[in-house]
């Protein structure tokens, strides 16, 4: 059974930093890929960052490259998203997700497992 729970959201000023944490059940690490998505009001859910558990470089959306960093601590079954230089347009509910299918990391519909989300507000 895969469980994902995000934490670390809240309010931050423009230019500030925040770290999101995704506590994952051990079964999550049988996934092919884990990622962070976000959804702002009235907008579609979009991919932010992803990591393929078999290895390789992390992937980032163009809008967050150079500002966000995805990382994982396998010993703690935890996925992180470090967010720096935050902008008002980063305001959204952020979700941790995992998928077992191969292919692109970008498509939300490919992900089977989702956390409940955590709100990030930048103002």
């Amino acid at each position: 059974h895969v469980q994902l729970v995000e934490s670390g959201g809240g309010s931050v000023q423009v230019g500030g930093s925040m770290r999101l944490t995704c506590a994952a059940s051990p079964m999550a690490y049988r996934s092919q890929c884990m990622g962070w998505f976000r959804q702002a009001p009235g907008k579609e859910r979009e991919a932010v960052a992803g990591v393929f558990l078999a290895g390789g470089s992390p992937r980032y959306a163009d809008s967050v490259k150079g500002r966000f960093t995805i990382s994982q601590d396998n010993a703690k079954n935890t996925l992180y998203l470090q967010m720096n230089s935050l902008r008002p347009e980063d305001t959204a509910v952020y979700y941790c997700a995992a998928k077992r299918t191969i292919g692109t990391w970008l498509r939300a519909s490919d992900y089977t497992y989702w956390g409940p989300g955590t709100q990030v507000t930048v103002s």
Side-chain angles (χ1 to χ4, degrees):
H1 183 59
V2 175
Q3 286 187 312
L4 303 170
V5 180
E6 306 92 343
S7 62
S11 297
V12 65
Q13 292 185 334
V14 173
S17 297
M18 183 178 287
R19 188 175 80 160
L20 304 183
T21 298
C22 174
S25 60
M27 287 291 291
Y29 281 82
R30 295 190 181 184
S31 301
Q32 191 258 350
C33 179
M34 295 185 70
W36 288 96
F37 286 74
R38 67 185 181 187
Q39 188 166 20
K43 294 189 176 181
E44 291 188 357
R45 192 167 297 191
E46 65 173 351
V48 175
V51 58
F52 290 92
L53 299 185
S57 300
R59 312 297 173 88
Y60 296 98
D62 288 343
S63 59
V64 307
K65 276 181 185 174
R67 299 189 299 123
F68 290 12
T69 302
I70 187 172
S71 62
Q72 56 191 109
D73 185 333
N74 293 338
K76 295 182 179 180
N77 295 329
T78 303
L79 189 71
Y80 301 101
L81 185 68
Q82 177 66 42
M83 306 185 293
N84 299 328
S85 302
L86 284 161
R87 305 167 179 170
E89 54 264 38
D90 295 318
T91 295
V93 177
Y94 282 71
Y95 299 91
C96 176
K99 74 181 186 86
R100 293 187 175 173
T101 56
I102 60 173
T104 178
W105 69 280
L106 289 166
R107 201 160 43 225
S109 59
D110 288 348
Y111 287 75
T112 304
Y113 307 105
W114 292 87
T118 185
Q119 176 71 46
V120 172
T121 302
V122 185
S123 61

